Amino acid sequence: MRLENVVLDAHDPSVLGAFWAGLLGAEPLFASPDLVEARMPLADGVFLDLCLVRVPDPWTGPRRLHLDLAGGARQAAVVARAEALGARRVDIGQRDAPWVVLADVEGNPFCVMEERPAYDAAAAPIAALPLDSADPVRDAAFWATASGWVVQPADGDGRVLRHPLGVGPLLELCPEPSPKAADGKNRVHLDVRPTDGDDRDEVLARLLDLGGRPAPGTADDLPWTVLQDPSGNEVCLLAHEVADQQ
């Protein structure tokens, strides 16, 4: 299994895609009025794709997943680059936190992080993907199966996963401030894909056994399966590719 896509709902994928590809230095893959894709190579044969999908409806859902960008010694430069691309500083109650909170050109909040031992050079350009979790220990088992990532030692109540090669961002399962609303869809979600040797049906069965469930209101004719993790966060289980990359 691999964690393949970070997916952002967008009112205008071309505008939001240009912002994020420019900020992250991602390589354009595909562009249409309804979908923009860009790739962040992490190591030989290892990548993470950014997908901007047109969702014209007004967004009123929860902010349970966002991007923490690598900053460290370059924090001020990353913030300046984001602002030059159209980001603005926002106050979400962070007070005097050492990270900088910004909103992208469609108002999605993200953070530019300070120096942390866990955020090494292999994490750039995204340091972490913080995801709200009602039970990080329980949800870590689900996400390890879904992504193929490995649970890392962690302090406190949260749990952290990372690619087995030690590259790319951390997936941080953070104790949620409040339960997810029953009718609220995350504006940012993750896609996972089976790789060679994975039986998709077996993976799906394991995810359901680990507390996942079909997402309500999803069309039956999609080539992927939309699930919710045990805390209600959406994740799409994609189909096999003909020629897989690991």
Side-chain angles (χ1 to χ4, degrees):
M1 295 295 295
R2 68 166 179 251
L3 197 164
E4 181 164 313
N5 300 326
V6 180
V7 184
L8 286 77
D9 292 353
H11 298 305
D12 188 334
S14 62
V15 172
L16 192 60
F19 172 86
W20 280 107
L23 182 56
L24 299 176
E27 303 170 358
L29 291 178
F30 176 83
S32 76
D34 294 322
L35 174 66
V36 170
E37 297 184 11
R39 175 159 295 178
M40 293 169 284
L42 303 177
D44 288 344
V46 182
F47 62 87
L48 188 62
D49 287 350
L50 191 68
C51 298
L52 299 304
V53 180
R54 182 180 295 279
V55 178
D57 298 333
W59 178 72
T60 58
R63 300 181 186 273
R64 295 177 58 88
L65 173 64
H66 67 273
L67 278 64
D68 282 351
L69 305 192
R74 298 187 59 256
Q75 185 184 54
V78 176
V79 170
R81 180 177 176 83
E83 291 178 324
L85 289 167
R88 56 185 176 83
R89 297 187 185 228
V90 293
D91 184 351
I92 59 171
Q94 69 268 25
R95 298 186 180 180
D96 57 352
W99 55 87
V100 179
V101 183
L102 301 169
D104 67 20
V105 292
E106 288 198 357
N108 302 297
F110 65 97
C111 301
V112 181
M113 304 305 293
E114 78 283 8
E115 191 76 43
R116 292 188 188 183
Y119 298 160
D120 57 32
I126 303 175
L129 300 166
L131 178 65
D132 285 357
S133 168
D135 185 336
V137 174
R138 175 200 64 193
D139 291 354
F142 175 94
W143 281 102
T145 297
S147 66
W149 289 14
V150 179
V151 181
Q152 305 290 299
D155 297 328
D157 296 330
R159 288 295 182 270
V160 175
L161 294 86
R162 196 173 196 185
H163 192 282
L165 294 181
V167 297
L170 307 178
L171 176 59
E172 297 179 340
L173 303 177
C174 308
E176 62 186 13
S178 60
K180 182 180 177 184
D183 60 348
K185 175 184 177 294
N186 291 3
R187 189 168 188 181
V188 184
H189 74 269
L190 304 175
D191 290 349
V192 298
R193 188 185 296 277
T195 55
D196 290 341
D198 294 321
D199 184 299
R200 188 181 183 280
D201 291 338
E202 291 182 0
V203 171
L204 177 57
R206 289 202 303 272
L207 294 177
L208 295 175
D209 286 344
L210 288 166
R213 54 190 180 270
T218 303
D220 295 330
D221 58 348
L222 296 174
W224 55 83
T225 301
V226 186
L227 300 174
Q228 291 180 330
D229 75 3
S231 293
N233 301 299
E234 290 81 14
V235 54
C236 292
L237 175 60
L238 306 177
H240 272 283
E241 285 185 335
V242 175
D244 256 331
Q245 293 173 286
Q246 299 298 319

